[in-house]
Amino acid sequence: MTRTTDFLAPARLGRLALPNHLVMAPLTRNRATVDGTPTDLMVTHYAQRASAGLIIAEGSTPNQAGQTYPDITAIYTDRHAAGWRRVTDAVRAAGGRMFLQLQHGGRVSHPATTGLTPLAPSPVPLPETIFTPQGHRQAAVPHAMTTDDIRATITDFAAAARRAVDAGFEGVEVHSANGMLLHQFLADNTNRRTDGYGGSVQRRVRFAAEVTEAVADAIGADRVGIRISPASTVNGVLEEDTDSLYATLLDHLKGLDLAYLHLVRADPATGWYRRIRADWPGILIGNPDLTGLTTQAVTRATREMLAGGADLVALGRPFLANPDLVTRLRLGAPLNPVRDRYFMYVGGATGYNDYPALTDQAKPPSSPSPEALEGTRVA
């Protein structure tokens, strides 16, 4: 891909022609049904944002045990796939393209939500409460995954990827970031195993590598991306060896010829970012840690990300609050502010599908919803 800081110029992602360099990042919004099926609200939400160069849809669990919070999406039944097909059809009709993020929460789960004890590399609980259908609850101690659990989970990821393609997605993103299951295997404070999946860096990267390889085998590597968050402490993970950890993981992955590598909260000024950019031979999507949500701040951060070697730029909250973000950035128009109160755990269209586009008539502010609850975690 030719280097440019013009994020509105056309781009390519493998076989996909993209109208611009902007990617809508995956954002958990808890608007699915109880069983994880996408809803009418979601059809509207994603179609509204189809002008993004690429949409990476929110994390969808590949099995029941992988569910994090109530009302998140899933992709392990025909019903789930049919629900997602309605979303992808609407986005495609509006001119867009979608990948689906595959996310297993591991210890970021609760029996009150899934009916199951969480699975994780080791019996180390989340060091904070977690939201459930009954509100915030103390985190459960997870079961350490057996070798059979590991093999079954890898199989579930591959099956979920096939369902995603059948549901109309262009590809999938393997979520190995933000303290979810794959990241829990990477981090030494959550992975205390002494078998072939724990201990040394080589062993701790094995699960993430095997999941990604299985998904690539299932649908083709050119349809697969992976998301990582080096040095992140989200959901209580802690890496003592970030540089060697990700260098080793990339050694396993870069020969696969994946569609892309997606870096969370990427900062071109950091050493780990520069090392990863130099080491990764393919497309790199950078997700900047925005210091502001103004047109000027988003424009500056996006250009700096491209100048720093990213091929595409993933934006979360700017797309959340601005269905016509691409148009607003092109015109230099003001951005809608994000209403954090309606981000997660609330349901409904408020704070989801009622953000106005520039062409909309001014709307009165929405009145507070009696169902709104505290909590703005991005998964």
Side-chain angles (χ1 to χ4, degrees):
M1 183 178 290
T2 302
R3 295 275 179 237
T4 180
T5 59
D6 181 4
F7 54 82
L8 297 175
R12 290 205 67 86
L13 179 63
R15 57 192 168 75
L16 291 179
L18 311 182
N20 54 68
H21 288 65
L22 300 177
V23 176
M24 179 178 169
L27 293 165
T28 296
R29 302 301 304 279
N30 303 69
R31 259 68 172 195
T33 64
V34 172
D35 78 340
T37 302
T39 60
D40 290 344
L41 285 172
M42 295 173 60
V43 174
T44 299
H45 180 78
Y46 284 112
Q48 286 177 338
R49 290 154 178 79
S51 60
L54 176 70
I55 294 173
I56 306 175
E58 63 206 79
S60 283
T61 181
N63 56 32
Q64 184 177 345
Q67 183 179 355
T68 50
Y69 312 113
D71 304 326
I72 70 160
T73 61
I75 186 67
Y76 58 88
T77 71
D78 290 344
R79 178 177 168 85
H80 298 146
W84 274 120
R85 169 60 76 172
R86 296 174 58 238
V87 176
T88 60
D89 282 350
V91 169
R92 187 167 289 108
R97 297 135 299 276
M98 297 186 79
F99 269 48
L100 177 65
Q101 186 184 79
L102 304 182
Q103 170 189 278
H104 190 302
R107 70 176 187 167
V108 186
S109 184
H110 199 279
T113 301
T114 66
L116 302 170
T117 299
L119 296 175
S122 301
V124 181
L126 189 71
E128 56 196 67
T129 61
I130 185 169
F131 191 76
T132 76
Q134 290 81 46
H136 283 276
R137 300 277 295 274
Q138 184 66 40
V141 177
H143 282 318
M145 295 174 73
T146 65
T147 302
D148 285 345
D149 291 331
I150 288 172
R151 291 293 158 215
T153 301
I154 292 171
T155 297
D156 288 343
F157 267 94
R162 286 189 290 267
R163 284 189 186 276
V165 171
D166 290 343
F169 287 97
E170 302 288 352
V172 302
E173 175 177 280
V174 175
H175 194 10
S176 187
N178 293 353
M180 296 299 160
L181 180 63
L182 274 65
H183 197 184
Q184 292 161 31
F185 270 88
L186 295 176
D188 48 3
N189 76 318
T190 47
N191 185 344
R192 299 178 182 175
R193 304 174 72 95
T194 58
D195 64 357
Y197 289 92
S200 68
V201 166
Q202 278 285 354
R203 290 179 176 178
R204 279 187 279 128
V205 305
R206 181 179 169 189
F207 181 63
E210 288 183 353
V211 167
T212 308
E213 290 165 3
V215 170
D217 286 344
I219 62 173
D222 64 328
R223 290 180 178 269
V224 180
I226 183 170
R227 194 183 207 213
I228 59 174
S229 55
S232 171
T233 58
V234 173
N235 286 314
V237 296
L238 181 64
E239 304 161 0
E240 295 291 348
D241 43 19
T242 295
D243 288 346
S244 60
L245 183 67
Y246 289 96
T248 303
L249 178 62
L250 264 58
D251 281 343
H252 283 270
L253 299 178
K254 58 190 177 183
L256 297 178
D257 199 20
L258 299 176
Y260 63 80
L261 175 68
H262 184 178
L263 295 183
V264 178
R265 293 190 170 180
D267 181 353
T270 60
W272 66 258
Y273 173 90
R274 290 194 296 268
R275 285 187 289 274
I276 287 175
R277 175 63 283 186
D279 195 32
W280 183 250
I283 298 296
L284 184 121
I285 300 177
N287 167 226
D289 193 3
L290 297 171
T291 57
L293 293 177
T294 64
T295 303
Q296 294 75 19
V298 173
T299 296
R300 180 173 59 253
T302 301
R303 287 177 174 161
E304 288 175 352
M305 187 61 62
L306 292 173
D311 298 291
L312 301 169
V313 180
L315 301 171
R317 289 174 181 265
F319 270 113
L320 181 160
N322 299 275
D324 56 347
L325 177 65
V326 176
T327 297
R328 289 174 185 265
L329 295 179
R330 179 179 290 113
L331 298 177
L335 302 186
N336 294 321
V338 174
R339 286 173 280 162
D340 278 337
R341 181 174 176 81
Y342 301 98
F343 187 78
M344 288 177 69
Y345 313 142
V346 295
T350 303
Y352 190 61
N353 290 343
D354 63 342
Y355 282 105
L358 288 172
T359 55
D360 293 341
Q361 292 182 346
K363 299 180 180 180
S366 301
S367 58
S369 166
E371 61 188 344
L373 301 169
E374 295 300 323
T376 59
R377 182 184 306 284
V378 179

